[in-house]
Amino acid sequence: MFFKPIRILMLGVFLILSGCAHHQKIPFEKTKTLYQGQDVNDSLILRQTPIFLTHNSASSYNRIGRPSARYDDQEEEQLYVDTEHPVIYYLKRNFTTQKGQYTNLIYRVHFPKVPFSLFPFYLTAGKNVGLFVVITLDAAKRPVLVTTVGTCGCYIAIVPTTFLPRDALPLKWPDDSIDIYGERLPSRLDYTNMKNPKLLIHIRPGVHRVMDLEIMDEREIRKSRYFNIIPASLKPMQELERIPIDSGTTSFYYNKGVLKGHVKGSVKPWESIFMSLLSLDFFVGTDKIYGDRKETGNPFYTSLKPWNREASDMWDFATFLKFWGWRL
């Protein structure tokens, strides 16, 4: 009996570690599926919108969609992601540091789910999952940072571009690549000699992790026969709080109770079981709103350590960057 708790703990550690070891070989696809934003009057938002490169789009859970709502047979509200109408949501925010003024262009996409799987084990299995891409512009409107993170606040990655001065990098920043929980990303994004640069976000199928970042010329993308470009509507992020349902609207997020500020239907059971004690958050891994914690009641923290809740909150971006060692 004495060894049973230890065995359970060891099993939990094994499952957590294997949850990051998801690098199955991606089947060859002659044509890659890209989602590209369109239909917005803001030229800055449109020009900087990243292109999302997905794999295995034959499986609906690998497709970007539009958060939607309906009533089920019991007249209960049901939130889901409609992959027939892909949407990229955006938000623009300014922030100031000791060195200057910056603008964040924040893009949000959602997938129907991360499927349940034991082999490989998907720790983040759950519904209505999503991804943020934040492009930080300097005063000259040049992209200096690209930040990617799950809409749960997990797997944070901050990558500088060639427009960012070296003295703004964290100390001992590598020259080749960075490791983000098993994913290898470039340590710097090269915008030199690019007339029409576009940021490509390579998304791993199944788990929807960012597996690579790349800068390509938009004309080369459009000319390539290896890409199937799917247009995605660009919509203000506030629309997630007024999703049509019958003759009214509803929010993508719970607006009261213990789940306030979390995405409806997005509780991650495996993460709650194995990570809640570590983070002191039973709903760790549940996707959430991006907003001021004083209003949402739900900080968008990016560090599992409970004492870093405030400092790692991505809403206060200047403090967030300082917490992760950046010297902007």
Side-chain angles (χ1 to χ4, degrees):
M1 295 295 292
F2 173 75
F3 292 101
K4 284 187 177 180
I6 296 178
R7 289 176 180 172
I8 293 172
L9 179 61
M10 291 179 64
L11 175 63
V13 171
F14 169 76
L15 291 175
I16 291 170
L17 292 176
S18 65
C20 294
H22 52 257
H23 289 200
Q24 289 184 306
K25 185 177 180 180
I26 297 175
F28 172 77
E29 293 176 298
K30 186 177 180 179
T31 304
K32 308 293 185 185
T33 299
L34 306 182
Y35 290 87
Q36 184 169 21
Q38 63 172 14
D39 299 334
V40 68
N41 292 326
D42 191 319
S43 60
L44 183 62
I45 288 290
L46 182 62
R47 184 170 66 252
Q48 296 294 342
T49 300
I51 295 177
F52 296 88
L53 189 157
T54 62
H55 297 270
N56 188 21
S57 59
S59 297
S60 61
Y61 54 76
N62 288 321
R63 303 175 201 159
I64 291 172
R66 179 182 64 192
S68 304
R70 62 192 172 200
Y71 290 109
D72 61 19
D73 294 339
Q74 286 72 45
E75 296 299 316
E76 295 290 333
E77 185 182 88
Q78 182 183 52
L79 275 293
Y80 68 100
V81 174
D82 175 10
T83 58
E84 295 298 317
H85 302 90
V87 175
I88 301 172
Y89 294 92
Y90 66 87
L91 178 68
K92 186 189 300 184
R93 297 194 73 232
N94 299 321
F95 70 96
T96 303
T97 69
Q98 292 181 345
K99 292 186 177 180
Q101 295 182 334
Y102 301 89
T103 300
N104 271 349
L105 306 181
I106 304 142
Y107 300 93
R108 178 174 189 148
V109 295
H110 274 271
F111 301 86
K113 65 180 179 179
V114 170
F116 282 88
S117 174
L118 289 178
F119 302 100
F121 176 60
Y122 289 166
L123 177 68
T124 56
K127 296 180 180 180
N128 299 340
V129 298
L131 177 68
F132 276 117
V133 177
V134 182
I135 299 179
T136 301
L137 308 178
D138 63 11
K141 302 304 179 187
R142 301 176 304 178
V144 293
L145 286 178
V146 172
T147 301
T148 66
V149 63
T151 51
C152 54
C154 52
Y155 304 122
I156 184 76
I158 308 170
V159 180
T161 77
T162 44
F163 290 122
L164 186 73
R166 293 197 67 86
D167 62 4
L169 297 171
L171 299 175
K172 299 182 180 180
W173 187 254
D175 292 326
D176 49 2
S177 63
I178 55 175
D179 179 80
I180 306 296
Y181 297 96
E183 298 288 2
R184 303 294 297 181
L185 302 182
S187 64
R188 187 177 281 257
L189 293 169
D190 191 355
Y191 275 81
T192 56
N193 301 320
M194 285 281 185
K195 292 184 178 180
N196 299 286
K198 272 292 185 180
L199 170 65
L200 262 67
I201 311 293
H202 295 245
I203 301 175
R204 187 171 295 282
V207 292
H208 314 314
R209 293 267 318 269
V210 174
M211 58 184 287
D212 197 8
L213 299 171
E214 181 182 7
I215 305 299
M216 286 188 66
D217 190 284
E218 185 175 9
R219 290 174 297 182
E220 292 182 12
I221 296 172
R222 290 190 175 277
K223 290 180 180 178
S224 176
R225 67 179 188 273
Y226 299 111
F227 295 137
N228 174 34
I229 300 177
I230 297 178
S233 299
L234 278 161
K235 301 290 185 182
M237 206 171 296
Q238 292 87 343
E239 289 201 6
L240 287 168
E241 298 182 61
R242 46 178 183 268
I243 295 174
I245 182 170
D246 283 1
S247 58
T249 62
T250 188
S251 175
F252 195 43
Y253 319 104
Y254 294 101
N255 55 25
K256 59 182 178 180
V258 295
L259 279 168
K260 182 180 179 181
H262 290 90
V263 169
K264 293 175 179 176
S266 183
V267 173
K268 310 284 182 58
W270 288 124
E271 291 200 68
S272 291
I273 291 171
F274 295 118
M275 305 295 287
S276 58
L277 184 61
L278 175 66
S279 62
L280 298 184
D281 180 3
F282 183 76
F283 300 110
V284 61
T286 301
D287 297 79
K288 58 181 72 174
I289 193 172
Y290 181 65
D292 187 339
R293 64 182 180 273
K294 296 177 182 177
E295 298 176 6
T296 67
N298 193 6
F300 197 88
Y301 66 84
T302 54
S303 169
L304 282 175
K305 297 176 181 177
W307 51 89
N308 290 334
R309 285 280 194 276
E310 186 172 334
S312 72
D313 186 347
M314 206 170 79
W315 182 254
D316 182 353
F317 211 80
T319 301
F320 158 85
L321 288 176
K322 185 177 181 180
F323 170 80
W324 287 110
W326 295 85
R327 298 177 290 164
L328 274 70

